[in-house]
Amino acid sequence: MKLYDKDITFIAEVKTKSPFGFKSEYSFDYLLTLANFYGDWISIHIDERWGGSFDLLKQARKGTHNIILAKGIHESDDLVQKSFDSGADYVLVVGRIPDKKYLENCLIEPLSLEQLLDWNLKDIPKLVWNKRNLKDGRLSKEDIPHIHSLYNGWLCQASGIKNINDINEKIDAFIVGENLVEFVGTLKT
């Protein structure tokens, strides 16, 4: 997707629910069709709390040639490997840094600003800043310009994106899930 005179990767997330009360009125198949058509990449949850599974990841792999991001916490490197084995091109790892052999194909998401500051940022090739706190579902006050001032590598914006005006010009990618239908509706106008 071309925004702000720069190519920014649109990661279209297939999300049917969340542990914070969200439940999509749309089916997995419908959301996958939208994600496949509009997204540069497709994000598929492997965690059932977000309506995902490894079977859904395999199903998505069979139905697309797009890059697939396996989205989940991925508490262990065994789960990271299982996502790759199930068809993911990239894997989101939350709250930790996986083994070096996986790093080039992982997007790393800290649980907090404090955790981000504790990490050696030179070791992280792709960083996701999720505005949503995964403990309680609330949106944080930290914004992309502040995160960008701390980390100058490949940066992905996540959560709270409803239309293209919510996308920061300093990012390299963005993920839209909960608002996918509404977001792509703004692209058509």
Side-chain angles (χ1 to χ4, degrees):
M1 174 172 284
K2 189 88 165 156
L3 295 170
Y4 307 110
D5 295 323
K6 121 182 204 189
D7 284 323
I8 296 177
T9 301
F10 171 25
I11 304 173
E13 180 180 313
V14 179
K15 182 195 294 187
T16 57
K17 68 178 186 176
S18 84
F20 310 115
F22 169 74
K23 181 155 175 42
S24 179
E25 62 186 87
Y26 303 99
S27 70
F28 176 87
D29 290 335
Y30 178 74
L31 295 171
L32 180 59
T33 299
L34 278 183
N36 204 16
F37 186 79
Y38 288 100
D40 299 310
W41 295 13
I42 296 170
S43 173
I44 304 294
H45 278 275
I46 55 103
D47 191 315
E48 65 181 43
R49 293 173 290 180
W50 281 269
S53 70
F54 288 103
D55 288 339
L56 290 172
L57 175 57
K58 290 174 188 174
Q59 176 185 333
R61 175 77 290 156
K62 288 178 185 173
T64 189
H65 294 290
N66 281 359
I67 292 172
I68 294 179
L69 169 66
K71 198 160 184 219
I73 306 295
H74 290 94
E75 296 94 345
S76 70
D77 285 347
D78 289 343
L79 290 173
V80 171
Q81 185 61 54
K82 188 171 181 179
S83 284
F84 286 127
D85 292 344
S86 297
D89 298 289
Y90 287 90
V91 173
L92 176 72
V93 177
V94 178
R96 68 181 191 90
I97 299 175
D99 187 276
K100 285 184 181 187
K101 70 181 178 180
Y102 297 114
L103 270 177
E104 284 303 312
N105 289 83
C106 285
L107 282 65
I108 311 301
E109 178 183 318
L111 288 168
S112 66
L113 180 60
E114 293 76 27
Q115 185 176 51
L116 177 67
L117 295 173
D118 283 344
W119 287 344
N120 181 351
L121 299 180
K122 292 177 187 169
D123 292 340
I124 300 173
K126 291 179 174 56
L127 181 74
V128 173
W129 182 254
N130 189 342
K131 200 161 172 88
R132 186 167 315 281
N133 181 315
L134 294 181
K135 293 179 184 172
D136 60 21
R138 290 185 288 154
L139 295 179
S140 77
K141 293 179 177 101
E142 298 301 330
D143 59 7
I144 290 295
H146 182 223
I147 301 307
H148 191 266
S149 73
L150 302 170
Y151 175 81
N152 61 6
W154 190 95
L155 182 59
C156 179
Q157 177 182 350
S159 292
I161 300 171
K162 295 181 180 176
N163 61 60
I164 59 172
N165 297 323
D166 295 328
I167 300 166
N168 189 283
E169 64 187 32
K170 295 188 179 291
I171 52 105
D172 299 286
F174 64 98
I175 300 172
V176 178
E178 205 168 290
N179 300 310
L180 181 62
V181 174
E182 295 79 5
F183 180 82
V184 299
T186 67
L187 299 178
K188 294 189 251 184
T189 57

